[in-house]
Amino acid sequence: MALFRSSSTSLFLLIHIALLSTLSLAADPTVSYDFKLSYITVSPLGVPQKVIAVNGQFPGPLVNATTNNNVVINVRNDLDENLLMTWPGIQMRRNSWQDGVLGTNCPIPPNWDWTYSFQLKDQIGSFFYYPSLNLQRASGGFGPFVINNRAIIQIPFAQPDGDFVLLIGDWYTRNHSALRADLDSGKDLGMPDGVLINGKGPYRYNTTLVPDGLPYETIKVDPGKTYRFRVHNVGTSTSLNFRIQGHNLLLVETEGHYTVQQNFSSFDIHVGQSCSFLVTMDQNATSDYYIVASARFVNESLWQKVTGVGILQYSNSKGSAAGPLPEAPSDIYNQWSAMNQPKAIRQNTTASGARPNPQGSFHYGSINVTDTYILRSLPPSTIDGKLRATLNGISFVNPDTPIRLADLNQVKGSYKLDFPSEPLNRPLRRDTSVINATYKGFIEVILQNNDTKMQSFHMNGYSFFVVGMDWGIWSENSRGSYNKWDSISRSTIEVYPGGWTAVLASLDNVGIWNLRVENLDRWYLGQETYMKVTNPEENGETEMAPPDNVLFCGALASKQQDRSHKDSAGSILQGNPNLFFTVLMAVCAAVLVFS
Ligand SMILES: *[C@@H]1O[C@H](CO)[C@@H](O)[C@H](O)[C@H]1NC(C)=O
Ligand SMILES: *[C@@H]1O[C@H](CO)[C@@H](O)[C@H](O)[C@H]1NC(C)=O
Ligand SMILES: *[C@@H]1O[C@H](CO)[C@@H](O)[C@H](O)[C@H]1NC(C)=O
Ligand SMILES: *[C@@H]1O[C@H](CO)[C@@H](O)[C@H](O)[C@H]1NC(C)=O
Ligand SMILES: *[C@@H]1O[C@H](CO)[C@@H](O)[C@H](O)[C@H]1NC(C)=O
Ligand SMILES: *[C@@H]1O[C@H](CO)[C@@H](O)[C@H](O)[C@H]1NC(C)=O
Ligand SMILES: *[C@@H]1O[C@H](CO)[C@@H](O)[C@H](O)[C@H]1NC(C)=O
Ligand SMILES: *[C@@H]1O[C@H](CO)[C@@H](O)[C@H](O)[C@H]1NC(C)=O
Ligand SMILES: *[C@@H]1O[C@H](CO)[C@@H](O)[C@H](O)[C@H]1NC(C)=O
Ligand SMILES: *[C@@H]1O[C@H](CO)[C@@H](O)[C@H](O)[C@H]1NC(C)=O
C-alpha cells in the first residue's frame, strides 16, 4: 500500500484551499484540514483494543504542505479526556500559542473543537504530529507531517521515484490509561508487546513468535527505482533499529535538515526522531524482502517479540520473504561503538534547505555562547510519596494557567522563572520551574543522562546544532571535542545512559518553549521544563498576540465562553475572520459546481 493516503479532505475543504490561495490577503497559500480524534477498535497484535484514530484512521492522515504555507487544522476532541495536538519540529515562529503543550495552551475538553493556525516559515522536512497529554500517544493519534520544498529550491538529490512514510514504534496492548495507572502506582511500563509499522503488526516471519492472521505492512516498489522513506519513531519509549533486508539506507535528512549522504545497513531511530532515507531497488527480486524495526540495546532473546516486520515487494517478485530476519547490529553490549553512528551524522553545508542559501551559511561555530545549561536526568525516584522523574532535581508540574497567558493577564504565581542552570545539591522537588532564557542569546545545553535508559530530548520552537556526544560526565574540557563546522541541526536528540549530548541553539524565536524527554514514561513523570524567551523591550512585533480563539483555563477559566456546541466551520471563522468570505465563496462554489 502506498503510504501517502489521501487525507480526508472533504469537497468543502478542497474548494476552500483553492479559494484561499487566490483570495487570501497573505501571499502564502493556506492548507486546511479537519481532524476528528476518536477511539476505534483494532487488533494490531491480535488483541482487540481501542486506539486513538484521526478521522477514523490509525495512524492519522498525512499533513502535506510546502515551505511558508499557512496551515489551518481544526481539531475536534471526541475522546473522553482533554486533548492537545502538538507538531514537534515545526518551529512556530513567534507563535508558541499553537504549540499544543500544557505550558502554552489550555487543553481542549471532550466534545470541543479548537482550530490551530500557524505558518511553516522557512521550513522543510519530515515530521509527525501527536496528542501531547497524558501518554495518549501510546494509544495513537499520531500521523505524518511533510513540508515540501518550494519548486524554486533544488533538493540535494535526484527527485525520488516515490515517497513512503513508515511510522514505527513500540506498542502495548494496554491502553494509555492503563499505562498511566501503572506509572501512577509506581510501576515501570515493562516490556512492550510488540512494534507496529504504520499501525500494523509483524509479518509472520516465524510461526512460533507471530500469531496467524495479523495484518502487516507491504511496500510495493518497482525494480531499479529509488524511493524516499520517511521513518519516524512514534513509540512510547523504545529505541529502534531500522533495516531493510538486502538494501542500503542512504541517510539524507533528519528532522528538517539535509545530512551528508551516507549509506547504512541499519540505522538507530530513537523515540521522537524522524529520518529520511533513499533506498534503491537494486536487488534481484528472488523473493520479497523484510523491513525490520527491532528494539535496540536490549537482550534480544528476551525482547524477540518487540520486533516490527513489514514487507518490501518488487513488482517482479518471485516469492514471499522467508528465513531469518536480517541481523541486528552485533554491538548491543558494546554501546561504545554504537555511538559512532549518531556521531557520523553531519550536515550537508552546501545543500539548500528551505531557503536558497546553503544550510551551512549560519556559522554557529564562531558564535560565542551566552548561557550554559547542564540538565541532568536521574532514574525515577519517590517525591512526596509518588514516583517522579527529574531534570536537575525538579519534576515539572504543569501550570494551571499557561505561562504566557498568565503573564498577559497579570496572573501571578502560576510559575517560577528559576530553573537552575546546573544540578544543585538539594532534595528533589516538584515545581513549575522554568528557564529564564535570554532573547537573542546563544545557548549551550548539556544533556547529562544519569538514568539507566536511552533517552531522547526535544526542544520546541527551535532546531539545535548537535555539537558533541560522549560517555561519562561532561566537563569544560569536553568542549574541545565539539564539531564547530558541520554539526547536524535537528530537534530531537538521543542521550546515551551514562553519557552526555551537547547542543547549541540561537534564541531568536520569542515564546514559551517546551524542553522535554520524548520517552513518554519519563515525560509523564515530570522530566521536562520550558524556556521562556521574551523580548524585554516587547514592542508588539516580536511575539504574536494570542489568537482570537485562545482557550482560557486555570485562574482565567471564568473568561472562557462555552463553545461546546460550536461546529468546525464556526470555529474556523472564530480563529480567522479573514476566512469568512472564503467559506461563503466555497459554499457558493460547491453549490454551483455540484448542483
Ligand atoms: C504533497 O504535496 C505536493 C506539493 O503540492 C504534491 O506534489 C504531492 O503529490 C502531495 N503528496 C500527496 C501524497 O498528496
Ligand atoms: C483502557 O483500559 C482500561 C483498563 O483495561 C479500561 O477500563 C478503559 O475502558 C480503556 N479505555 C479505553 C478508551 O479503551
Ligand atoms: C522461531 O522462533 C523461535 C523462538 O525464538 C526459535 O526457537 C525458532 O528457531 C524460530 N523458527 C525459525 C524457523 O526460525
Ligand atoms: C549507497 O548504496 C547504493 C547501493 O545501494 C549505491 O548505489 C550508492 O552509490 C551508495 N551511495 C553512497 C553515497 O555511498
Ligand atoms: C539473487 O540474490 C540472491 C541473494 O543475494 C542470490 O542468492 C541469488 O543467487 C541471486 N539470483 C540471481 C539470479 O542473481
Ligand atoms: C539474555 O536473556 C537470556 C534469557 O533470559 C539469558 O539467558 C542471557 O544470559 C541474557 N543475555 C545477556 C547478555 O544478559
Ligand atoms: C550536498 O548537497 C549538494 C547540493 O548542494 C549535493 O550536490 C551533494 O551531493 C551533497 N553531498 C553529500 C555528500 O551529501
Ligand atoms: C567572542 O569572544 C571573544 C573573547 O571573549 C571575542 O574576542 C570575540 O570577538 C567574540 N566573538 C564574537 C563573534 O562576538
Ligand atoms: C531573567 O533574566 C533577565 C535578563 O538576564 C533578568 O533581568 C531578570 O531579572 C531575570 N528574571 C528572573 C525572574 O530571574
Ligand atoms: C550516575 O552518577 C553517579 C555519580 O556520578 C555515577 O556513579 C553513576 O555511574 C552514574 N550512572 C549513570 C548511568 O550515568
Side-chain angles (χ1 to χ4, degrees):
M1 175 194 118
L3 296 168
F4 273 165
R5 277 151 310 185
S6 65
S7 71
S8 71
T9 323
S10 63
L11 156 68
F12 164 78
L13 279 172
L14 279 173
I15 296 166
H16 184 69
I17 293 166
L19 284 170
L20 259 184
S21 10
T22 50
L23 292 188
S24 169
L25 294 178
D28 296 307
T30 295
V31 294
S32 305
Y33 291 84
D34 266 330
F35 275 12
K36 190 178 88 163
L37 277 92
S38 66
Y39 294 112
I40 61 168
T41 301
V42 293
S43 313
L45 295 175
V47 180
Q49 59 183 131
K50 275 190 188 162
V51 303
I52 300 177
V54 181
N55 299 340
Q57 299 172 36
F58 170 72
L62 169 71
V63 175
N64 186 28
T66 299
T67 305
N68 294 345
N69 279 180
N70 296 298
V71 178
V72 175
I73 304 180
N74 183 62
V75 172
R76 163 100 194 158
N77 180 7
D78 278 351
L79 304 177
D80 54 355
E81 48 189 63
N82 285 346
L83 174 70
L84 278 176
M85 293 300 279
T86 194
W87 327 90
I90 312 290
Q91 292 158 36
M92 307 291 174
R93 296 295 305 179
R94 314 186 291 123
N95 192 6
S96 53
W97 303 107
Q98 309 290 331
D99 222 16
V101 283
L102 278 178
T104 60
N105 292 77
C106 296
I108 309 167
N111 299 318
W112 286 41
D113 62 70
W114 198 72
T115 304
Y116 289 83
S117 174
F118 49 88
Q119 186 174 18
L120 305 174
K121 194 71 190 153
D122 291 333
Q123 285 206 266
I124 49 123
S126 315
F127 308 95
F128 66 98
Y129 59 81
Y130 62 81
S132 70
L133 304 186
N134 292 327
L135 282 168
Q136 284 166 359
R137 189 178 82 211
S139 285
F142 43 73
F145 197 130
V146 171
I147 312 178
N148 302 288
N149 57 301
R150 288 175 288 159
I152 52 161
I153 297 178
Q154 278 214 315
I155 52 176
F157 41 84
Q159 189 64 43
D161 296 304
D163 206 314
F164 297 105
V165 171
L166 294 178
L167 301 172
I168 61 177
D170 60 0
W171 189 257
Y172 293 87
T173 52
R174 270 130 70 218
N175 65 28
H176 61 288
S177 47
L179 294 173
R180 236 158 39 200
D182 283 352
L183 293 173
D184 288 341
S185 67
K187 279 192 260 173
D188 195 64
L189 294 184
M191 191 179 2
D193 300 300
V195 168
L196 305 190
I197 300 183
N198 290 337
K200 295 175 187 155
Y203 171 77
R204 200 170 190 213
Y205 68 100
N206 177 315
T207 51
T208 319
L209 288 171
V210 183
D212 200 6
L214 298 188
Y216 57 87
E217 187 61 301
T218 302
I219 304 291
K220 296 193 168 169
V221 295
D222 290 324
K225 295 203 165 156
T226 297
Y227 299 87
R228 182 173 184 166
F229 284 75
R230 303 179 196 254
V231 191
H232 310 266
N233 187 334
V234 300
T236 297
S237 198
T238 307
S239 295
L240 297 175
N241 180 263
F242 178 77
R243 51 199 188 272
I244 303 181
Q245 187 177 32
H247 292 76
N248 272 337
L249 304 171
L250 185 70
L251 179 74
V252 295
E253 181 221 338
T254 56
E255 293 132 38
H257 286 86
Y258 295 118
T259 64
V260 167
Q261 294 165 23
Q262 290 178 80
N263 275 321
F264 294 92
S265 54
S266 75
F267 202 80
D268 293 340
I269 306 180
H270 303 277
V271 178
Q273 292 185 329
S274 301
C275 304
S276 286
F277 305 102
L278 297 183
V279 185
T280 300
M281 301 305 143
D282 54 7
Q283 295 303 300
N284 63 22
T286 1
S287 70
D288 294 345
Y289 299 91
Y290 293 125
I291 299 172
V292 182
S294 61
R296 186 74 161 111
F297 306 123
V298 295
N299 183 338
E300 290 259 338
S301 63
L302 294 173
W303 282 62
Q304 264 180 333
K305 285 203 167 177
V306 191
T307 302
V309 184
I311 291 295
L312 180 76
Q313 185 170 69
Y314 282 44
S315 51
N316 60 343
S317 172
K318 295 174 202 73
S320 317
L325 299 179
E327 269 182 42
S330 56
D331 60 3
I332 297 191
Y333 299 102
N334 180 10
Q335 298 190 6
W336 288 88
S337 69
M339 205 188 262
N340 291 336
Q341 190 176 71
K343 283 181 168 182
I345 306 174
R346 287 174 299 129
Q347 177 155 240
N348 181 337
T349 54
T350 61
S352 297
R355 288 191 285 184
N357 54 330
Q359 292 183 140
S361 49
F362 183 75
H363 297 290
Y364 70 90
S366 56
I367 303 175
N368 289 334
V369 165
T370 58
D371 305 271
T372 296
Y373 291 89
I374 302 171
L375 305 183
R376 185 179 65 186
S377 45
L378 295 176
S381 54
T382 303
I383 307 176
D384 305 336
K386 283 269 191 191
L387 189 67
R388 295 283 161 198
T390 56
L391 268 185
N392 284 1
I394 299 175
S395 180
F396 192 77
V397 179
N398 277 297
D400 292 334
T401 315
I403 293 167
R404 207 64 186 125
L405 206 56
D407 290 348
L408 295 178
N409 291 279
Q410 288 78 45
V411 175
K412 301 269 180 254
S414 127
Y415 66 96
K416 293 181 209 157
L417 211 48
D418 63 351
F419 196 90
S421 62
E422 57 185 7
L424 300 178
N425 191 11
R426 63 180 192 194
L428 305 178
R429 60 168 74 169
R430 303 184 63 209
D431 214 343
T432 309
S433 177
V434 169
I435 293 176
N436 183 14
T438 314
Y439 174 52
K440 294 205 166 153
F442 193 65
I443 58 162
E444 176 187 39
V445 180
I446 319 296
L447 300 157
Q448 179 79 54
N449 185 351
N450 199 225
D451 199 339
T452 54
K453 289 184 173 174
M454 180 76 81
Q455 303 191 324
S456 22
F457 278 85
H458 175 82
M459 191 186 276
N460 280 13
Y462 291 94
S463 130
F464 44 60
F465 293 94
V466 183
V467 291
M469 186 183 287
D470 213 339
W471 302 98
I473 312 276
W474 179 89
S475 73
E476 307 231 336
N477 291 335
S478 308
R479 290 191 177 121
S481 70
Y482 284 5
N483 174 352
K484 297 203 151 188
W485 168 244
D486 61 356
S487 292
I488 191 64
S489 179
R490 64 189 306 178
S491 57
T492 306
I493 191 65
E494 68 267 37
V495 191
Y496 280 68
W500 56 266
T501 300
V503 304
L504 302 179
S506 175
L507 299 186
D508 58 355
N509 191 15
V510 165
I512 301 293
W513 305 110
N514 192 215
L515 178 57
R516 62 167 178 270
V517 71
E518 274 291 336
N519 306 70
L520 290 183
D521 50 344
R522 296 294 193 266
W523 185 11
Y524 180 74
L525 295 177
Q527 203 163 290
E528 66 174 323
T529 183
Y530 286 80
M531 301 190 303
K532 179 171 167 179
V533 185
T534 46
N535 182 352
E537 292 143 32
E538 180 53 59
N539 49 16
E541 283 170 16
T542 42
E543 185 173 10
M544 287 192 190
D548 295 345
N549 62 347
V550 71
L551 293 176
F552 294 97
C553 55
L556 300 169
S558 61
K559 290 175 77 114
Q560 183 61 49
Q561 288 162 11
D562 178 20
R563 304 188 324 127
S564 57
H565 301 297
K566 274 254 167 8
D567 63 21
S568 54
S571 89
I572 287 180
L573 289 177
Q574 182 182 13
N576 185 347
N578 279 343
L579 295 183
F580 178 75
F581 293 106
T582 318
V583 172
L584 203 67
M585 296 289 293
V587 170
C588 297
V591 169
L592 284 175
V593 174
F594 293 92
S595 59

